[in-house]
Amino acid sequence: MTPAVRALEKADVDFSLATYEHDPRSPAYGEEAARALGLPAEEVFKTLLACLDDGRLVMAIVPVPTQLDLKALARAAGARKARMAEADAAERATGYVVGGISPLGQKKRLPAFVDASAEPLEAIHVSGGRRGLEIRLAPNDLAALLNARFAPLSRSRATP
């Protein structure tokens, strides 16, 4: 089992797992998960890492159909600017591969922020720590486990 699942079992939090056959050609892992599991995309959240202007890495958990607003994340983290972390830095910090980065069970404990749209939901889905594995849990449980804050972090994706 993945470190994310072990962390949830240790914390004795209610959760469930869902698996699907990952298509390695899929360009968008979260959208693939929502489609494969028949879930509303707004309830499937992706885990993104960003680097603040002071060099700290932070984690943002936002709905799949949206884009991370880096300015909003920087504000929430008390910084002036943020940029997406390089894939290798994200993998080193979390111990997971891109496309399977779970917010739970990471190698390093990073400051975490969950998009405010999650707070009123009964449950959300996040990566279970590998491509093809999703965890369903209450957003407040996720925030408590991560010591995360809810903040408005996402915006609609720009259409070409």
Side-chain angles (χ1 to χ4, degrees):
M1 211 26 65
T2 67
V5 174
R6 284 195 295 275
L8 286 168
E9 289 171 341
K10 184 178 177 185
D12 198 28
V13 170
D14 282 338
F15 71 96
S16 62
L17 299 176
T19 60
Y20 62 93
E21 191 65 37
H22 166 63
D23 179 354
R25 296 169 303 197
S26 180
Y29 304 111
E31 291 168 358
E32 177 193 25
R35 201 172 37 257
L37 297 172
L39 300 169
E42 302 78 29
E43 294 178 10
V44 179
F45 282 64
K46 54 192 171 186
T47 304
L48 302 172
L49 269 66
C51 186
L52 302 177
D53 52 5
D54 63 7
R56 290 182 295 148
L57 281 179
V58 295
M59 177 174 35
I61 302 155
V62 299
V64 161
T66 67
Q67 183 174 354
L68 174 60
D69 182 335
L70 289 165
K71 288 181 183 179
L73 176 61
R75 274 192 306 275
R80 287 180 296 127
K81 290 184 179 181
R83 61 178 166 72
M84 293 303 298
E86 297 292 327
D88 61 335
E91 290 178 348
R92 273 194 314 275
T94 64
Y96 295 116
V97 297
V98 169
I101 294 179
S102 178
L104 301 157
Q106 296 182 358
K107 285 171 50 176
K108 293 182 182 176
R109 186 152 180 108
L110 300 172
F113 302 88
V114 180
D115 189 68
S117 67
E119 200 167 12
L121 299 176
E122 178 184 322
I124 61 172
H125 293 79
V126 297
S127 175
R130 66 174 168 78
R131 297 171 187 158
L133 179 65
E134 290 289 307
I135 295 171
R136 180 183 192 273
L137 77 166
N140 287 326
D141 287 342
L142 177 65
L145 289 168
L146 299 173
N147 196 25
R149 288 194 4 239
F150 289 101
L153 301 175
S154 64
R155 61 176 183 235
S156 297
R157 286 193 188 148
T159 52

